[in-house]
Amino acid sequence: MAIRSISHNDEESFKVPLNGPNFAVVYMKFTLTKTDPESRARAGELHTDHGVISTPIFMPVGTAGTVKAVHQKELKTEIGAEIILGNTYHLYLRPGLDLIEKAGGLHKFINWDGPILTDSGGYQVYSLSDIRKIKEEGVKFQSHIDGSRHLFTPENVMDIQRTIGADIIMAFDECTPYPCDYKYAARSLEMTHRWLKRCCKRFDETESKYGYQQNLFPIVQGSTYTDLRKRSAEFVAKQDRVGNAIGGLSVGEPAEEMYAMTDVVTQILPKDKPRYLMGVGTPANILQSIALGIDMFDCVMPTRNARNGMLFTSEGFINIRNAKWKDDLSPIDLNCPATTSHTHSKAYLRHLMISKEMLGSQIATLHNLSFYLWLTKEARKHIIEGDFHSWKNQMVKKVSTRL
Amino acid sequence: MAIRSISHNDEESFKVPLNGPNFAVVYMKFTLTKTDPESRARAGELHTDHGVISTPIFMPVGTAGTVKAVHQKELKTEIGAEIILGNTYHLYLRPGLDLIEKAGGLHKFINWDGPILTDSGGYQVYSLSDIRKIKEEGVKFQSHIDGSRHLFTPENVMDIQRTIGADIIMAFDECTPYPCDYKYAARSLEMTHRWLKRCCKRFDETESKYGYQQNLFPIVQGSTYTDLRKRSAEFVAKQDRVGNAIGGLSVGEPAEEMYAMTDVVTQILPKDKPRYLMGVGTPANILQSIALGIDMFDCVMPTRNARNGMLFTSEGFINIRNAKWKDDLSPIDLNCPATTSHTHSKAYLRHLMISKEMLGSQIATLHNLSFYLWLTKEARKHIIEGDFHSWKNQMVKKVSTRL
């Protein structure tokens, strides 16, 4: 395997393997800037063709080609987003691949020039589609929009993600529910591993359609079983891809189980590659998982909860619809970078939410995402400054307080 | 009556009467920059304590303290709004006067430092409230939100608007429906005139609560009857307030009747004061009414229709939900100042609207309002350049075309 090394001053630099048929190509580079002495937290930099991502990072979810209620420009100016997510299942069904390809890929279609990650569609097939049949070949399902029938296989999900054109794409897996009996979890895991081999093969046989690099992340599964998680992490590590993900958590299990599984897996996944904990979570979940060595997060919580009036702030979480905030003319959160969080009062935002005004969801979403990005950036700062552990313990208490 | 004159270079300047108990105060100044030789169109400047408004102007409607789907910052940077509307009926019911007063007025509550105009609540009482009884004293009505009972009188509507604190406030009137029989229209008109006297008296006996000027506009009524409109315009003109409005139009009558009534009224209302045609209208309505001497407009059409996918563009109007736009990757409208109208394609906006994504309403609203402001600014430019009449006739055709 061809290897090319890139080194930077003052940074620990890792050699990145060159996958795929085009050996002139250097795939995503990940550099570790600092590792926390008191935990497994890391600060790093992930280089993609659409920009550098400073880790740990939270990735706002842009399901159908839009982070709900947020303008693309605001993702940069108000939120400080460095990478956003798209959902393969949603984008495949609507607007469909033809239009995305005609536009020159998802970045151009939605007018976002930063990095994008797409999930593999697996999670949505299991949670959203009306009918689904999982077989060795892949998953047959009916669209939740119009009932039309479709088949996702490891191969065509790679092809679909090639057409969508995200910088980071995910392997097609089965995301087991919670609880899940051991036998099912073990059988599912073996299939997910066979699917992973098929994903890697198809990915390596195909090329990016739009002239920039795409990078495939495999996903560790294994439900809440330590031995399955270990086996899966070892299998995934052996594939030697440029980054790795942990799936099948944050699906209803107690937080302690999630941390235990994350702990097991991050001890096995290679240190020199970014680790992405899928679908996690609350601010406290994120801080605890950073301490376990996770670099990347995504979750609908900040956006979805914002639309219901739940705000995450640097002092704790609040339900802005409560009468308690009716006359509170203090700013939403002065620590939060979003301009609207400084300039609008809690009472005004409450009025908008109670009146079901769209601007309420807009301001609350900007706030929550801005807070999540602030939180991961603060974590990074404290990892670099060397006081992450004590800061994290204080912060977990704060963000878990209901105001 | 005390008079103070302010003159500006190259501008026709009018002396503005000093109403109210405080004779040291100079109320709103209106200067006519240019009058079109081939129509009655005028370009002017309206000076308020929150800024100068260049007329003709369109005023985005901010019903409950928010222009739906638009951030206050975007009103300036994307739309070029110079003044926005608030609705007394809505604001009075929710969030209520106590909170608005505690915040220091509507400007501070919603964080908008430009001029604001509030309507008198009359129109909403007739169109929204569940039960209403119109008597000489005022109107009893039940809230559409919680059924609570309220009374609006000319006096308390002045007080309410003092508390809300808009720069321009409207007299309390009865807005007759269309069609309306002559007898009812005549009787209603007389009551509206008596109410106007009561509004003026209360307004002149009270003062602004927040240290800046407020200005009262009376409203011409008279349904679609020329003699009633004339009588009302003469009555209103005699009150000698700093600006005047025309109400009771755009309530279902044919456009020709609306223009005929506007024509009658603008020939009577004083030239040296701004004229506001309430609730109007389509882009063509606005252009034709500018030619009849109207300076100010408001309408929910650009915002409401945006949320349903109807876009007004410089080449005509379009229903972005139509399959016709499915693959159209051209920008929404390059003539329109809103950044999102240049950077997003019709196909992307259609995808968002079809997917019921909030961002669709956000982009469409920015677009439509930006187009309306562009249109009135273009009208002003052409009035000043002296070719308004021919430009207007061309433009009316364009904006009336379905694309």
Side-chain angles (χ1 to χ4, degrees):
Chain A
M1 185 172 278
I3 297 283
R4 182 173 148 194
S5 165
I6 304 170
S7 67
H8 280 247
N9 294 338
D10 309 323
E11 282 181 349
E12 192 178 349
S13 186
F14 290 98
K15 289 169 183 176
V16 177
L18 297 174
N19 299 316
N22 182 352
F23 284 87
V25 160
V26 176
Y27 283 80
M28 198 174 67
K29 185 168 73 79
F30 181 62
T31 53
L32 275 184
T33 310
K34 185 81 184 279
T35 303
D36 183 48
E38 294 180 86
S39 73
R40 296 215 302 283
R42 311 113 58 82
E45 278 190 356
L46 187 54
H47 296 249
T48 76
D49 281 356
H50 284 96
V52 179
I53 302 155
S54 298
T55 60
I57 191 76
F58 180 79
M59 307 181 280
V61 177
T63 311
T66 157
V67 176
K68 288 184 198 299
V70 178
H71 287 286
Q72 274 71 318
K73 186 176 156 189
E74 292 172 327
L75 288 169
K76 294 196 176 169
T77 59
E78 299 294 314
I79 291 168
E82 297 183 12
I83 172 171
I84 62 171
L85 244 74
N87 284 123
T88 290
Y89 170 87
H90 288 280
L91 293 164
Y92 162 81
L93 290 178
R94 197 166 56 191
L97 300 183
D98 288 351
L99 181 55
I100 292 173
E101 183 155 19
K102 191 179 170 191
L106 185 62
H107 294 82
K108 287 191 177 160
F109 181 60
I110 71 170
N111 194 45
W112 163 257
D113 62 6
I116 299 178
L117 180 152
T118 42
D119 69 2
S120 64
Y123 183 77
Q124 279 75 27
V125 165
Y126 307 121
S127 60
L128 284 182
S129 68
D130 291 332
I131 298 169
R132 51 184 165 63
K133 261 194 189 165
I134 306 171
K135 293 191 174 179
E136 186 68 28
E137 182 195 11
V139 184
K140 284 186 181 170
F141 64 97
Q142 277 192 274
S143 159
H144 72 293
I145 300 169
D146 62 5
S148 55
R149 288 165 194 278
H150 303 271
L151 171 70
F152 273 179
T153 67
E155 288 79 13
N156 78 5
V157 163
M158 291 300 102
D159 296 347
I160 292 167
Q161 291 185 91
R162 284 291 196 197
T163 299
I164 294 172
D167 301 85
I168 300 173
I169 74 177
M170 303 303 298
F172 191 61
D173 60 343
E174 184 183 2
C175 176
T176 50
Y178 178 83
C180 179
D181 74 56
Y182 184 85
K183 264 193 185 169
Y184 187 93
R187 227 172 31 231
S188 165
L189 183 64
E190 294 308 322
M191 188 183 67
T192 284
H193 289 176
R194 288 191 296 274
W195 283 4
L196 174 55
K197 297 293 272 184
R198 288 165 60 189
C199 285
C200 290
K201 182 166 185 288
R202 184 61 150 242
F203 178 81
D204 293 343
E205 285 168 1
T206 54
E207 283 191 38
S208 162
K209 289 189 167 185
Y210 310 112
Y212 52 80
Q213 299 306 325
Q214 292 187 283
N215 306 280
L216 172 64
F217 280 27
I219 303 172
V220 173
Q221 289 287 351
S223 188
T224 48
Y225 302 104
T226 302
D227 64 324
L228 297 185
R229 285 285 171 185
K230 277 188 182 170
R231 195 196 309 166
S232 186
E234 280 157 9
F235 184 87
V236 159
K238 262 189 220 151
Q239 307 312 309
D240 199 20
R241 311 310 297 194
V242 294
N244 300 298
I246 309 174
L249 293 176
S250 199
V251 293
E253 77 286 0
E256 292 318 312
E257 286 205 73
M258 176 173 75
Y259 299 143
M261 293 302 110
T262 304
D263 190 16
V264 164
V265 171
T266 51
Q267 296 199 41
I268 296 168
L269 290 181
K271 282 184 187 158
D272 60 348
K273 291 172 182 175
R275 301 163 183 153
Y276 163 31
L277 181 56
M278 302 180 78
V280 174
T282 64
N285 291 161
I286 287 176
L287 293 173
Q288 300 291 24
S289 303
I290 288 172
L292 295 171
I294 297 294
D295 308 296
M296 302 163 73
F297 300 89
D298 81 287
C299 189
V300 295
M301 197 177 275
T303 38
R304 183 176 292 166
N305 289 16
R307 299 196 298 281
N308 295 323
M310 187 181 167
L311 304 181
F312 300 97
T313 82
S314 52
E315 300 297 327
F317 61 95
I318 73 182
N319 180 349
I320 197 70
R321 302 175 61 90
N322 282 348
K324 181 176 183 179
W325 311 107
K326 192 177 186 311
D327 295 324
D328 190 328
L329 291 163
S330 68
I332 298 166
D333 189 357
L334 282 176
N335 276 330
C336 196
T339 315
T340 41
S341 301
H342 306 160
T343 53
H344 291 306
S345 66
K346 297 185 184 79
Y348 178 58
L349 179 53
R350 180 180 183 275
H351 161 64
L352 296 175
M353 296 303 298
I354 294 288
S355 305
K356 299 193 175 70
E357 286 287 346
M358 215 178 277
L359 187 60
S361 291
Q362 294 174 241
I363 293 170
T365 304
L366 285 186
H367 171 74
N368 277 355
L369 284 178
S370 172
F371 171 72
Y372 265 63
L373 266 296
W374 173 84
L375 190 70
T376 51
K377 281 170 188 172
E378 281 292 297
R380 186 173 202 275
K381 196 181 83 182
H382 287 283
I383 294 166
I384 292 170
E385 289 172 358
D387 63 349
F388 171 77
H389 191 69
S390 60
W391 172 83
K392 186 266 289 181
N393 288 339
Q394 280 186 329
M395 207 64 203
V396 164
K397 274 184 206 153
K398 275 194 185 178
V399 297
S400 306
T401 307
R402 176 185 290 273
L403 297 179
Chain B
M1 184 173 278
I3 297 284
R4 183 173 147 195
S5 166
I6 304 169
S7 66
H8 281 245
N9 294 339
D10 308 323
E11 281 182 351
E12 193 178 349
S13 184
F14 290 97
K15 291 167 183 175
V16 178
L18 299 175
N19 300 314
N22 183 352
F23 284 86
V25 161
V26 176
Y27 282 81
M28 198 173 67
K29 185 168 74 76
F30 181 61
T31 52
L32 276 184
T33 310
K34 185 82 184 281
T35 302
D36 183 49
E38 294 179 88
S39 72
R40 297 213 302 285
R42 314 110 58 78
E45 278 188 358
L46 187 54
H47 296 250
T48 75
D49 281 356
H50 284 96
V52 178
I53 301 154
S54 298
T55 61
I57 190 78
F58 179 80
M59 306 181 281
V61 178
T63 310
T66 158
V67 175
K68 287 182 199 302
V70 178
H71 286 287
Q72 274 71 321
K73 187 176 156 191
E74 292 172 327
L75 287 168
K76 294 196 175 167
T77 59
E78 298 294 312
I79 290 167
E82 298 183 10
I83 172 171
I84 62 170
L85 246 73
N87 284 124
T88 289
Y89 170 88
H90 288 280
L91 293 164
Y92 162 80
L93 290 178
R94 199 167 53 190
L97 300 182
D98 288 351
L99 181 54
I100 293 174
E101 184 157 18
K102 190 180 170 192
L106 186 61
H107 294 81
K108 288 193 177 161
F109 181 60
I110 72 171
N111 195 44
W112 162 256
D113 63 6
I116 300 178
L117 181 152
T118 42
D119 69 1
S120 64
Y123 182 79
Q124 279 76 24
V125 165
Y126 307 123
S127 60
L128 283 185
S129 67
D130 290 331
I131 297 168
R132 53 183 163 64
K133 263 194 185 164
I134 307 172
K135 293 191 172 178
E136 186 66 28
E137 181 195 13
V139 185
K140 283 184 182 172
F141 65 96
Q142 277 191 276
S143 159
H144 74 292
I145 300 169
D146 61 5
S148 56
R149 289 165 194 277
H150 304 271
L151 172 70
F152 272 179
T153 67
E155 289 79 13
N156 78 6
V157 163
M158 290 302 99
D159 297 346
I160 292 167
Q161 291 185 90
R162 284 293 196 196
T163 299
I164 294 173
D167 301 85
I168 300 173
I169 73 176
M170 302 305 297
F172 190 60
D173 62 343
E174 184 183 2
C175 176
T176 50
Y178 178 85
C180 178
D181 75 56
Y182 184 84
K183 265 192 184 169
Y184 187 94
R187 227 171 34 229
S188 165
L189 183 64
E190 294 308 322
M191 189 183 67
T192 283
H193 289 174
R194 288 190 297 276
W195 283 4
L196 174 55
K197 298 292 273 185
R198 289 165 59 191
C199 285
C200 291
K201 184 166 182 288
R202 184 60 151 242
F203 180 80
D204 293 344
E205 285 167 0
T206 53
E207 284 188 37
S208 160
K209 289 188 169 186
Y210 310 113
Y212 51 80
Q213 301 304 326
Q214 292 187 282
N215 306 279
L216 173 64
F217 279 27
I219 302 171
V220 173
Q221 288 288 348
S223 188
T224 48
Y225 303 105
T226 302
D227 64 324
L228 298 185
R229 285 285 172 183
K230 277 187 180 170
R231 197 198 304 168
S232 187
E234 280 157 10
F235 184 87
V236 158
K238 262 188 218 151
Q239 307 311 308
D240 200 20
R241 310 310 297 195
V242 293
N244 299 298
I246 309 175
L249 293 176
S250 199
V251 291
E253 77 284 0
E256 292 317 314
E257 286 205 74
M258 177 174 74
Y259 298 143
M261 293 301 109
T262 303
D263 191 15
V264 164
V265 171
T266 51
Q267 296 200 40
I268 296 168
L269 290 181
K271 282 184 185 155
D272 60 349
K273 290 171 182 173
R275 300 164 182 152
Y276 163 30
L277 182 56
M278 301 178 79
V280 174
T282 65
N285 291 161
I286 286 175
L287 293 173
Q288 299 292 23
S289 304
I290 288 173
L292 295 171
I294 297 294
D295 308 296
M296 299 162 74
F297 300 88
D298 82 286
C299 189
V300 295
M301 197 177 275
T303 36
R304 182 176 294 165
N305 289 16
R307 299 195 299 279
N308 295 323
M310 186 181 167
L311 304 182
F312 300 98
T313 82
S314 53
E315 301 297 326
F317 61 94
I318 72 181
N319 180 349
I320 197 70
R321 301 175 61 89
N322 283 348
K324 181 176 182 177
W325 311 107
K326 192 177 186 312
D327 294 324
D328 191 329
L329 290 164
S330 68
I332 296 166
D333 188 357
L334 282 176
N335 275 329
C336 198
T339 316
T340 40
S341 301
H342 306 162
T343 51
H344 290 305
S345 66
K346 297 186 183 78
Y348 179 58
L349 179 52
R350 180 181 184 275
H351 161 65
L352 295 175
M353 297 302 299
I354 294 289
S355 306
K356 299 194 175 69
E357 285 287 346
M358 215 178 276
L359 187 60
S361 290
Q362 293 175 240
I363 293 170
T365 304
L366 285 187
H367 171 75
N368 277 356
L369 284 178
S370 173
F371 171 73
Y372 264 63
L373 266 295
W374 174 84
L375 190 70
T376 52
K377 280 171 190 172
E378 281 291 297
R380 187 173 200 274
K381 197 182 82 182
H382 287 283
I383 294 167
I384 291 170
E385 288 172 357
D387 64 348
F388 171 77
H389 191 70
S390 60
W391 172 82
K392 185 265 289 180
N393 288 339
Q394 281 186 329
M395 206 66 203
V396 164
K397 272 184 209 153
K398 275 194 186 178
V399 296
S400 307
T401 308
R402 176 185 290 273
L403 297 179

